[in-house]
Amino acid sequence: MEYFNIAETWDRQTIEANQLIRLRGTLERAALTPFYAKRLRESGISPQNLNSLEDFRKLPFTTKDDLRGQYPYGLATVPHSEFVRMHCSSGTTGTPVAVCYTQLDLNTWADLMARCLHMVGVRKSDVFQNMSGYGLFTGGLGIHFGAERLGCMTIPAGAGNSRRQIKLMMDFGTTAVHILPSYALYLGSELESYGIDPKSTSLRVAMVGAEPYTEETRRRIEQTFNIRVYNSYGLSEMNGPGVGFECPEQNGMHVWEDAYILEIINPETGEEVPDGEIGEMVLTTLCRQGMPILRYRTRDLTRIIPGECACGRKHRRIDRILGRSDDMLIVKGVNIYPQQVERILMKFPEIDANYLITLERTNNRDNMKVQAEIRDESFIEDFHALKNIEEKITRALREELLITPKVSLVPKNVLPKTEGKAKRVIDLR
């Protein structure tokens, strides 16, 4: 497994020196496209005069609208015959964002993903069950080829169908999974409904991502299954999963800076913010041959964790994703992210995994309602006892959000459930 550790153990000087070399090559490839050739010319940047990473920041950001405008082949730097795969995601406009991959791109991606899995202890002896969607979504195949690169027996279970997932886990002795955090809690409940203690499975490690979640949710998953849970970060525009991953310290995700340039900016001004300050993540590909992307505004909000990681790796760490800059809720003039609500709810042992935030407007005033399912063993018909729990949650949310939502506790299985990404907010305003 030594080849996973070459760039993984570089010091900062080596990382930054290699970034500059790879960035020059990336600019050469990007200049083959009319879109980036124009931007490079207008900003006065070229591979020849790029003397520092600071010079690179003169280049304008690339946005999702830019990528949609170049659909399908506008950012291609090789002939179509060189592409061996494509992935795409559609947005609310219906115009997809497409990324095409050469074989070298896929090999690099698989190596990065294998590096992530190896870092948290996944080995050839593991049985890896991938509960992520396949097809055009990058999460399925990206994780799959990383696990195979390690030599794991890999089960392409796909998303949903809990009965099948449980049968595969029990029959084949699954030891490692890739799963949505909301679905992990749902699957734990499903196991219990079949009379199976989630702690009795062979599972020992889970990789979770694809939707924001809180530390409290991670700890609840770990307690439910008696496993270790590691946070993963990726996005289709940057290949998919494997951009960043937690190490065994579970204190932030290392972004693999031999493959990506990381920036955190103020989403309003575009200026870089200091380490430790929350902002929008901007990423640049350094190793992609067929479709490089420069200074891409991810819309994901996080921060660079100051200082070095106790694991010894020098690749910088980002905090878990707070949310997206375009997912922020404004209620009564206050900026709110759904993860803030989840963090409070998961601190109460009586509350189950499922909750729903509903926003309404009455007489020109915003109202926020939070419904949360209560665990079966905690459900009591004593009206006063339930009201007492609701009042405690309301106070905690008011302290966190600075507004007072209406909290309602409901029996388990009352709120809508999904085996895919959880829908936590309904905005009726």
Side-chain angles (χ1 to χ4, degrees):
M1 295 305 171
E2 291 181 0
Y3 70 96
F4 292 133
N5 299 321
I6 296 172
E8 190 177 356
T9 58
W10 282 349
D11 59 25
R12 286 305 306 172
Q13 184 178 0
T14 305
I15 289 172
E16 291 172 9
N18 276 272
Q19 281 186 321
L20 191 57
I21 293 169
R22 293 181 179 186
L23 182 55
R24 291 186 182 120
T26 296
L27 294 184
E28 287 181 358
R29 291 189 294 275
L32 298 174
T33 70
F35 176 80
Y36 279 128
K38 181 173 183 290
R39 290 197 163 191
L40 290 166
R41 186 170 59 252
E42 291 174 347
S43 60
I45 296 175
S46 71
Q48 293 73 34
N49 68 15
L50 186 73
N51 297 314
S52 71
L53 296 176
E54 289 298 321
D55 292 342
F56 177 59
R57 295 192 174 94
K58 299 174 186 175
L59 192 71
F61 297 112
T62 302
T63 67
K64 182 161 284 191
D65 285 342
D66 292 329
L67 299 188
R68 290 187 179 121
Q70 297 303 309
Y71 174 86
Y73 289 119
L75 296 182
T77 61
V78 298
H80 300 172
S81 59
E82 294 297 310
F83 289 127
V84 296
R85 193 197 301 167
M86 64 80 68
H87 286 283
C88 77
S89 59
S90 61
T92 54
T93 66
T95 304
V97 170
V99 177
C100 301
Y101 304 77
T102 66
Q103 187 59 58
L104 181 60
D105 293 335
L106 293 181
N107 294 345
T108 301
W109 184 14
D111 281 351
L112 284 173
M113 196 63 246
R115 183 196 295 180
C116 296
L117 298 176
H118 189 266
M119 177 168 63
V120 296
V122 179
R123 296 293 184 269
K124 177 181 171 61
S125 56
D126 279 297
V127 177
F128 188 91
Q129 188 164 331
N130 191 11
M131 300 185 187
S132 184
Y134 281 70
L136 293 176
F137 174 60
T138 56
L141 286 169
I143 294 278
H144 180 108
F145 280 98
E148 285 191 344
R149 191 82 167 91
L150 278 178
C152 301
M153 187 180 88
T154 305
I155 303 174
N161 197 337
S162 300
R163 184 181 293 275
R164 181 187 62 190
Q165 299 282 10
I166 291 170
K167 179 171 176 56
L168 291 171
M169 288 176 65
M170 304 305 289
D171 290 351
F172 291 92
T174 298
T175 57
V177 296
H178 176 230
I179 190 170
L180 289 169
S182 57
Y183 185 53
L185 291 173
Y186 176 83
L187 192 66
S189 296
E190 288 294 286
L191 279 162
E192 290 172 346
S193 72
Y194 296 141
I196 302 171
D197 181 357
K199 295 182 177 67
S200 71
T201 71
S202 301
L203 196 62
R204 65 178 189 83
V205 61
M207 279 55 69
V208 297
E211 63 183 14
Y213 73 107
T214 62
E215 183 64 21
E216 288 75 15
T217 295
R218 185 238 290 276
R219 296 307 177 196
R220 182 167 287 192
I221 297 169
E222 290 186 326
Q223 291 163 9
T224 298
F225 290 91
N226 192 27
I227 60 174
R228 293 272 279 176
V229 172
Y230 295 99
N231 201 4
S232 168
Y233 176 75
L235 65 165
S236 298
E237 297 88 338
M238 294 290 118
N239 285 343
V243 175
F245 217 84
E246 279 185 326
C247 67
E249 296 294 326
Q250 292 182 311
N251 185 24
M253 294 174 284
H254 292 276
V255 173
W256 300 124
E257 295 182 89
D258 55 310
Y260 303 98
I261 290 178
L262 166 67
E263 303 172 67
I264 305 290
I265 64 166
N266 181 316
E268 300 296 328
T269 67
E271 296 295 319
E272 193 168 18
V273 302
D275 288 2
E277 186 174 317
I278 292 173
E280 179 184 343
M281 182 159 39
V282 174
L283 292 169
T284 296
T285 62
L286 289 176
C287 298
R288 195 151 71 203
Q289 303 293 312
M291 197 171 279
I293 297 178
L294 309 177
R295 302 200 77 200
Y296 181 66
R297 293 190 63 159
T298 66
R299 296 293 178 185
D300 290 324
L301 297 172
T302 184
R303 68 185 181 106
I304 292 173
I305 297 176
E308 294 187 0
C309 184
C311 76
R313 294 173 179 84
K314 307 303 181 185
H315 296 260
R316 289 179 298 171
R317 294 165 294 152
I318 56 171
D319 211 340
R320 64 175 60 251
I321 303 302
L322 172 65
R324 292 178 58 81
S325 59
D326 46 7
D327 282 350
M328 181 179 70
L329 310 173
I330 301 179
V331 184
K332 297 180 179 179
V334 177
N335 297 341
I336 295 172
Y337 294 95
Q339 289 73 29
Q340 293 175 276
V341 175
E342 179 179 297
R343 183 165 61 245
I344 296 299
L345 292 176
M346 292 301 105
K347 289 180 178 178
F348 287 82
E350 301 92 345
I351 302 302
D352 204 64
N354 209 16
Y355 67 93
L356 182 66
I357 302 167
T358 303
L359 303 176
E360 299 174 313
R361 181 166 288 147
T362 306
N363 297 325
N364 295 318
R365 289 178 59 83
D366 288 343
N367 295 300
M368 180 178 180
K369 180 169 67 175
V370 177
Q371 295 172 284
E373 292 183 353
I374 198 163
R375 289 185 166 186
D376 286 338
E377 62 270 24
S378 301
F379 186 77
I380 48 179
E381 295 184 356
D382 185 331
F383 174 80
H384 294 291
L386 282 175
K387 282 298 175 186
N388 185 49
I389 299 172
E390 287 179 349
E391 289 171 2
K392 288 180 180 178
I393 294 173
T394 300
R395 285 196 297 270
L397 286 172
R398 182 171 61 241
E399 291 175 5
E400 171 73 20
L401 307 178
L402 305 180
I403 67 168
T404 305
K406 178 176 174 55
V407 176
S408 300
L409 299 183
V410 298
K412 193 171 178 179
N413 299 320
V414 167
L415 299 178
K417 282 188 171 62
T418 174
E419 293 186 340
K421 288 188 180 182
K423 183 174 177 59
R424 300 301 196 190
V425 180
I426 297 177
D427 194 340
L428 303 176
R429 294 176 294 179

